[in-house]
Amino acid sequence: MTILRSWPGIGRINLATLLAEAAEPLRRRDYHALRALAGAAPVTRQSGKQRFVIRRLACNRRLQSAVHHWSRVAIQHDAASRRRYDALRRKGHGHARALRSVGDRLLFALCTTLKRRTPYDADHNGTKNSANG
């Protein structure tokens, strides 16, 4: 619970929704199941010569909304999330698409911190380790 609360932007309502709607994938630290359940995993459709990627429609709506709001607040309070969002917007992605990507990254990092049993660290992007050696 402490690890989950350490994430910027998660809030108590989003935290409760994550725990209620995705308890099993969180317990297993299953990133792929979590991202599919939250609607962050894209779907590839192909037929003959055509191939395109669309957003996932078959997902848990409550969890999808929680991850959306978590991403929205994270880009306001977390520099790494903001940089990712801004880079996606510069590439031409829409607001919702960029938030889904930020949310997908947050879910991956959340599973990683749960596996390592460490709280969120905003400076973990290698800046501290590269300065030491």
Side-chain angles (χ1 to χ4, degrees):
M1 188 70 116
T2 304
I3 296 171
L4 293 171
R5 285 186 181 173
S6 69
W7 283 87
I10 200 154
R12 63 184 175 88
I13 294 174
N14 285 340
L15 177 59
T17 304
L18 274 172
L19 292 173
E21 301 294 336
E24 187 59 26
L26 282 173
R27 187 187 64 74
R28 290 188 324 241
R29 279 72 167 148
D30 188 351
Y31 162 66
H32 297 289
L34 193 58
R35 74 189 295 235
L37 194 61
V43 176
T44 303
R45 301 270 172 117
Q46 63 184 32
S47 171
K49 295 181 182 180
Q50 294 182 339
R51 183 179 189 175
F52 54 97
V53 179
I54 60 173
R55 78 177 177 97
R56 181 171 297 273
L57 298 175
C59 62
N60 183 314
R61 297 290 181 208
R62 287 187 201 103
L63 189 58
Q64 181 185 36
S65 178
V67 171
H68 175 85
H69 290 296
W70 179 20
S71 304
R72 184 181 52 78
V73 176
I75 65 171
Q76 296 171 359
H77 298 288
D78 180 38
S81 296
R82 185 67 198 199
R83 283 191 304 273
R84 183 164 184 80
Y85 174 82
D86 289 341
L88 290 164
R89 293 292 287 170
R90 278 192 301 275
K91 284 183 181 178
H93 294 292
H95 174 70
R97 169 67 177 88
L99 281 182
R100 276 193 304 278
S101 287
V102 169
D104 189 26
R105 198 46 155 174
L106 288 171
L107 291 173
F108 176 78
L110 175 66
C111 288
T112 302
T113 58
L114 288 171
K115 285 177 187 175
R116 294 179 182 171
R117 297 181 180 188
T118 59
Y120 173 76
D121 180 14
D123 297 323
H124 183 70
N125 293 336
T127 54
K128 288 195 295 190
N129 294 338
S130 62
N132 293 335

